Amino acid sequence: MPKISDTLWELASAEVQSREDGKGGEEDGGVDPVSLNERTVFFIGNKEGGKTTILLRCLDRDEPPKPTLALEYTFGRRARGHNTPKDIAHLWELGGGTSLSDLVQIPITAQNVRSLSVVLVLDLSKPNALWGTMERLLQTTRTQVEKACSKQQRTVESKAGSKQQAQNRPPMVLPKDHPDRELINPFPVPLLIIGSKFDIFQDFDSEKRKVICKTLRFISHYYAASLIFTSSKSESLMSKTKSLFTQLGFGTEKGKSMSSDLSKPLLIPAGMDSFSQIGSPPTTDVDIGTLHAKNPLDLWKKVFEVVFPPENTSDHHRELKDPAKDPQYSEPQIDSMRAQKDTELDQYKRNMSKSWKGLELET
């Protein structure tokens, strides 16, 4: 089995060589030959929500998951047929939940945005953090995607003119006759929302499960995303999750399976749901008339947060702005040495302060 480092160098060398040999491709309005069989998938979501576990299972890697260190990269390869180039999926994973969301600018670039997909993993066992995590990460990711698209579009227009402009528009997710086509706000790149830890979620009170299920159905349909609930303890659910992942990472054929039964794990491919089937927000204990919402998305948010009040994470986020203080990145030997040096520095400052106070300045 080749070393990862060797393979990365081979990929980098092949890309440089391809660009040198085929410079005319993109400049003439064509497609970069390297990108024909390469895609990028960016995993984001709750801290400790199961992103790494899902990623490893989708790649059939039998190894224990480790805490993600800020932003990590790996890749997967898949053969399309005999004597044909293998499809390559560049896989990025953002750690730390929302605390390190500024790092999205690294994996999302003008060079890969046309082949980019996003996987948002939401921990179903922690519903109080669900909306805040989803909202913050999708907003930050969308902003970076739009910046990358804008930069890529300017580059294409400057080289190929307006002809290429029409070719780079994102594909329509809903058919022209879909009743919700003008009511949704599609995410600028393919989006898959995974509700993780279904094994814990299924033991929730039925009314709470209903609120979470309907809310995630609304969010997914509103952003034209696919939705699936999964659990690392269920081979059947992980197999279905892997199927959706391979569609994004390797361009396999889309499946037609769908399950919208609220008593079972949800599986709803993009474009196969509708607002009429989802219904209105579950308001058993909520008077909608007292909620002042700016739009349907805001209404669903307010109803959801009445049932699941959001966690106060502002102090936690401020603390984690310095990853060195995050316990998931702890290194006992290094931390011990750092603590010793901090103690020495404090002692040095105190000694210098005393020496200055005892110094008699001549007048």
Side-chain angles (χ1 to χ4, degrees):
M1 183 175 179
K3 295 180 179 179
I4 291 180
S5 57
D6 292 342
T7 308
L8 289 175
W9 277 113
E10 291 170 6
L11 290 174
S13 176
E15 181 170 352
V16 171
Q17 187 63 45
S18 178
R19 289 180 178 179
E20 290 178 351
D21 294 343
K23 289 181 179 178
E26 253 185 291
E27 292 179 2
D28 296 335
V31 180
D32 184 351
V34 175
S35 66
L36 285 173
N37 65 327
E38 295 187 22
R39 292 176 172 82
T40 300
V41 183
F42 184 31
F43 280 75
I44 56 179
N46 291 94
K47 180 179 178 180
E48 300 178 352
K51 299 184 296 296
T52 305
T53 299
I54 292 172
L55 180 54
L56 291 174
R57 295 284 289 274
C58 288
L59 294 175
D60 293 325
R61 293 183 183 174
D62 185 16
E63 57 186 84
K66 299 178 181 178
T68 303
L69 300 177
L71 181 68
E72 294 193 359
Y73 169 84
T74 187
F75 67 94
R77 294 189 292 184
R78 179 186 176 98
R80 281 184 286 179
H82 186 61
N83 290 332
T84 59
K86 288 185 177 181
D87 292 321
I88 300 172
H90 300 283
L91 309 171
W92 294 87
E93 181 186 348
L94 179 68
T98 61
S99 63
L100 302 174
S101 58
D102 292 344
L103 295 178
V104 300
Q105 60 187 307
I106 296 175
I108 302 175
T109 66
Q111 288 70 39
N112 68 15
V113 71
R114 283 187 297 171
S115 61
L116 174 72
S117 300
V118 174
V119 177
L120 172 64
V121 179
L122 297 174
D123 188 342
L124 296 176
S125 70
K126 299 178 180 178
N128 297 82
L130 191 149
W131 191 286
T133 299
M134 177 275 301
E135 186 174 55
R136 172 75 180 275
L137 289 176
L138 288 187
Q139 285 178 350
T140 305
T141 303
R142 178 189 281 270
T143 299
Q144 179 60 26
V145 167
E146 290 175 346
K147 287 181 180 178
C149 285
S150 178
K151 182 177 180 180
Q152 189 267 345
Q153 190 65 46
R154 289 196 300 270
T155 301
V156 170
E157 289 176 357
S158 66
K159 293 179 179 179
S162 59
K163 179 180 178 180
Q164 186 71 15
Q165 184 174 1
Q167 298 174 358
N168 279 299
R169 291 173 182 167
M172 290 296 179
V173 177
L174 300 183
K176 292 183 178 181
D177 59 349
H178 196 290
D180 301 335
R181 193 160 180 257
E182 301 300 324
L183 303 176
I184 65 173
N185 182 21
F187 204 70
V189 297
L191 174 64
L192 168 62
I193 298 178
I194 299 178
S196 64
K197 303 184 182 180
F198 179 79
D199 53 302
I200 300 176
F201 171 77
Q202 65 182 349
D203 294 329
F204 280 19
D205 174 77
S206 61
E207 287 302 314
K208 290 186 176 181
R209 289 204 314 270
K210 180 179 179 181
V211 172
I212 295 172
C213 288
K214 293 192 67 174
T215 300
L216 286 180
R217 282 185 64 184
F218 175 86
I219 291 171
S220 298
H221 187 56
Y222 182 76
Y223 288 121
S226 296
L227 173 66
I228 186 171
F229 285 3
T230 193
S231 168
S232 60
K233 298 181 180 180
S234 169
E235 289 297 331
S236 174
L237 292 179
M238 286 307 305
S239 176
K240 294 175 181 178
T241 304
K242 180 181 178 181
S243 177
L244 289 176
F245 163 78
T246 55
Q247 292 172 24
L248 300 179
F250 301 108
T252 58
E253 186 176 351
K254 295 182 179 180
K256 298 181 180 179
S257 298
M258 177 175 172
S259 174
S260 58
D261 187 340
L262 301 185
S263 64
K264 299 178 181 178
L266 296 180
L267 169 56
I268 307 176
M272 294 184 67
D273 212 342
S274 68
F275 290 136
S276 61
Q277 292 176 330
I278 296 170
S280 58
T283 56
T284 305
D285 301 320
V286 184
D287 181 4
I288 290 185
T290 63
L291 301 177
H292 302 284
K294 296 176 290 185
N295 50 53
L297 183 66
D298 192 41
L299 175 62
W300 278 84
K301 176 183 179 179
K302 291 182 181 300
V303 171
F304 186 84
E305 292 185 343
V306 168
V307 182
F308 301 105
E311 296 177 341
N312 184 11
T313 57
S314 57
D315 293 336
H316 182 60
H317 287 163
R318 188 160 49 247
E319 177 186 349
L320 294 186
K321 282 299 180 182
D322 182 1
K325 297 179 180 179
D326 191 329
Q328 76 165 318
Y329 307 137
S330 64
E331 293 283 352
Q333 292 181 335
I334 297 176
D335 293 342
S336 176
M337 187 176 297
R338 171 66 183 269
Q340 179 182 338
K341 292 300 181 182
D342 286 343
T343 301
E344 293 175 1
L345 178 60
D346 290 338
Q347 184 62 44
Y348 174 78
K349 289 179 178 179
R350 286 194 293 269
N351 293 340
M352 290 300 296
S353 178
K354 292 178 182 178
S355 65
W356 276 105
K357 289 180 179 178
L359 183 63
E360 295 183 3
L361 299 176
E362 296 182 2
T363 57

